[in-house]
Every structure is written in structure tokens, then in C-alpha cells.
Amino acid sequence: MKNKHVIFSIFIFALFYANIYPIFAQAPTTPKIAFMTARNKNRDIYLMNPDGSGMERITHHPAMDISPKWSPTGEQILFESDRDRERLSWDLYLMDADGSNVRRIFAKSKDRRSSVWSPDGKQIAYNRWEQGMYYIYIAPIDGKKEERMVIGSQPSWSPDGTEIAFIEGGTRDPKRISILNVKTRKHKFFFPPKAPDWVRHVAWAPTGDKFAFSWNKDPGLDLDGNTIYIVNRDGTGVRRILDEGVGYAVEPSWSPSADTLLYGGLDKNRDLQMFKVSLKDGVPVQLTPPGFWHYVGDWFDPAYALPVSPQPHLLTTIWGEVKQR
């Protein structure tokens, strides 16, 4: 009877600490890009090395799984899925870095998309579609409380956690970058009112001093008018990254070292592929192979990751104490 009590106690402690701290989840030990593709006739999430090698599928659900985002420690991946087939809506899910331990964040399903982590990993920002427009919400990672912040879409959190860059504008209005103060909820246009309009996909640099964004100066023209720019945080130094002849380029995503961008572009077959480009030389490199559509991913590098605060030895200590009883 005593042994059964000890075993049960160990199980309860293990379950308790596993729910509070993801101590069983392991971050990659080498740099990885998480991304979505439909290589197996379904939208699933894959991992690969930053040079495009070592492609590995980590979701195997019949639903569509898209838009993976690494947690700051690299132990978890936030993603979007339509697994709630009864409501026919997208929502936000978490999984461990290897694709295991999948769980939905919110108890009540809503249309939530374009999610991003706060720098400390305690919160997420995302879009919700309500009353014919997108709103940006913030919630703790346990999903127990949502706060509606501002009308807008495509949030990108500042590295210091105090601000969120987002795209302001209705479905038919010009799109501009705005900056939201998370504490006061006040926001303002980042650029002067006249330029630039029709911006998409703002991404805050890990260094905090720059933004990347995609911009079509001539909306209404062909898709190749979309390309990638960067700009300093103070609004100066707007610079086109890719040459005129490169063509369609959208959804920039920073490397952890802030010297390289991932982006989505079209290959010679007009299929969507993932590319990377160094800010030093501006030369695009295609990372994904032809024959399938591949979407822009999120880059994790353990050399730039936040330290993991929960320590595995804590659970070992508790087990030792239980065994002595």
C-alpha cells in the first residue's frame, strides 16, 4: 500500500510540474526554421535547417496546420489550425518543438490568426475577426483572459515588450504601419500620412532598431510589384532589399542574428517558395525545392534563445524527497 502511495505521489508531482513548466519539452540544439507546406496533399508544419536541408514533418493531423512561431526558449511552437471542424474556424494551438503534446490554447473556439509571442513568452498577440474587421488581442499563454486592444492586423511585438507594430486599415483602405503602446493602448502611424500606403507584413527586428515589411508602391498592378523593404525605428533609412528584377516578395521574417531575412517569393514555375536574403549583399537564395508551395517560416537559433527558467533538477529533487517517505 505504501509503495502504491509513493508511485501515485510521484505521478501527481510529475503531472503538476509538467503542466506548470514544459520541462519535458526540448528546444532544438541547432538552428531550425519552422514552416508550412502542402507536400503531402495537406497543410502541415515542417522543420528544416537554415540552408534548406534536413526537412522534417512534425504535424500529421488531417486538419490544416499553418503559421508556426517558435517560443522565445525554443521549447514550444505556436501555430494555427482548423482542427475544430464543428465550428469551421481557425484557432491557436501549442505543441512541443518535436510536434508532440498538441493542445488548444483557448477553451472557446474563435477565429484567431496571425499569432506572435511576447518576448518573455508569457503572452501572445493575434487577430480576431469580428463585426467585419480585424481586431488585435492580447492573451496569456494559458488562454484564460483575452484583451481587445485595437483595430488592426498582423501584430509584431517589440523585443522589449512595450510596443506592438501592426497593420492599420480596413479591407479596402490603404494599409499602414502603426505602433501600439501595450500599456496605454495608444497608437499612432509610424510613417507620415502620405507614405507609404499599401504596406503588409511588418516584422520587428530582434535588435529593436528596424522594421521589415512588404510594400507595393503601385497597388492594382501585377503581383511582382510587392517587394521587401527595411526602415529604421525612427522612420529614416527606408531601403529596398531586393533588386528590381527579383519580382514578387512578401512576408519578411528576421533571422535571430538580424542580418538576414526570410521571405516568400515565386520560383520560375510561379510556385511560392521560401527564400533568404542577406542584408549585406541582397542576393536571394531559394531554400525550398520546386514542385510544391512552401510558406515563409520562423527561424530559431539556440545561440540567441532566452534562458530556460524552469530547471529539470527541481522535479528530480521532488522525486527524491518522495522516495524517502
Side-chain angles (χ1 to χ4, degrees):
M1 180 64 70
K2 183 177 181 181
N3 288 338
K4 288 183 179 180
H5 177 71
V6 169
I7 293 173
F8 180 73
S9 298
I10 293 173
F11 173 77
I12 292 299
F13 275 116
L15 185 62
F16 176 75
Y17 279 91
N19 284 335
I20 295 179
Y21 304 122
I23 61 175
F24 297 119
Q26 298 293 320
T29 57
T30 59
K32 294 290 181 182
I33 295 173
F35 66 102
M36 183 273 286
T37 183
R39 294 175 60 86
N40 290 284
K41 299 181 180 181
N42 189 46
R43 295 183 181 184
D44 281 296
I45 294 170
Y46 287 67
L47 302 183
M48 70 177 180
N49 300 321
D51 63 359
S53 64
M55 195 175 292
E56 174 191 5
R57 182 180 176 185
I58 62 169
T59 60
H60 301 267
H61 196 278
M64 293 186 286
D65 301 324
I66 65 172
S67 302
K69 300 290 174 58
W70 290 103
S71 67
T73 62
E75 295 175 314
Q76 296 174 301
I77 296 175
L78 176 67
F79 69 101
E80 300 157 30
S81 181
D82 66 345
R83 297 185 181 210
D84 189 351
R85 296 300 178 88
E86 292 183 4
R87 294 185 61 87
L88 299 176
S89 64
W90 294 86
D91 211 342
L92 305 181
Y93 291 76
L94 275 176
M95 62 182 168
D96 292 349
D98 61 0
S100 63
N101 194 23
V102 177
R103 60 274 194 198
R104 196 169 76 185
I105 294 177
F106 298 95
K108 188 175 181 180
S109 181
K110 297 287 184 182
D111 191 337
R112 302 178 179 93
R113 310 190 192 195
S114 299
S115 53
V116 61
W117 292 86
S118 64
D120 62 6
K122 296 179 180 179
Q123 293 178 292
I124 53 174
Y126 51 93
N127 299 344
R128 269 183 59 173
W129 180 256
E130 296 176 335
Q131 301 168 338
M133 63 184 69
Y134 280 114
Y135 289 87
I136 291 175
Y137 277 74
I138 290 177
I141 196 60
D142 62 10
K144 291 184 178 180
K145 181 181 179 181
E146 295 183 273
E147 293 185 73
R148 191 163 77 177
M149 304 298 288
V150 67
I151 297 173
S153 62
Q154 301 171 8
S156 179
W157 220 306
S158 67
D160 66 6
T162 63
E163 297 176 301
I164 291 175
F166 67 99
I167 301 301
E168 186 164 350
T171 56
R172 297 183 180 180
D173 300 327
K175 308 297 189 296
R176 300 170 181 166
I177 299 172
S178 284
I179 308 296
L180 170 72
N181 184 301
V182 175
K183 185 176 181 179
T184 66
R185 300 195 182 189
K186 294 181 178 180
H187 62 97
K188 59 182 179 180
F189 286 126
F190 172 64
F191 286 106
K194 293 186 178 179
D197 292 341
W198 301 102
V199 168
R200 300 287 195 282
H201 314 126
V202 60
W204 213 310
T207 50
D209 60 343
K210 292 181 177 64
F211 299 113
F213 58 96
S214 54
W215 181 20
N216 189 341
K217 287 185 177 181
D218 301 300
L221 300 180
D222 61 46
L223 290 176
D224 289 347
N226 292 279
T227 192
I228 305 298
Y229 290 78
I230 61 172
V231 61
N232 295 328
R233 173 62 181 84
D234 62 6
T236 64
V238 177
R239 176 163 70 97
R240 179 173 175 150
I241 299 302
L242 298 162
D243 293 337
E244 293 283 344
V246 171
Y248 181 79
V250 294
E251 296 190 65
S253 176
W254 291 90
S255 68
S257 57
D259 59 2
T260 302
L261 288 170
L262 302 176
Y263 70 91
L266 300 177
D267 64 14
K268 62 181 181 180
N269 298 317
R270 306 293 289 181
D271 289 334
L272 187 66
Q273 303 293 348
M274 193 190 329
F275 293 78
K276 69 178 179 181
V277 57
S278 168
L279 299 187
K280 294 180 180 179
D281 58 28
V283 177
V285 176
Q286 184 172 329
L287 297 178
T288 47
F292 303 94
W293 279 43
H294 302 84
Y295 293 77
V296 177
D298 191 38
W299 193 330
F300 172 77
D301 187 334
Y304 294 86
L306 290 180
V308 181
S309 55
Q311 299 297 322
H313 76 270
L314 295 178
L315 184 56
T316 303
T317 302
I318 291 173
W319 280 355
E321 293 174 353
V322 170
K323 289 177 182 179
Q324 292 175 4
R325 294 177 181 177

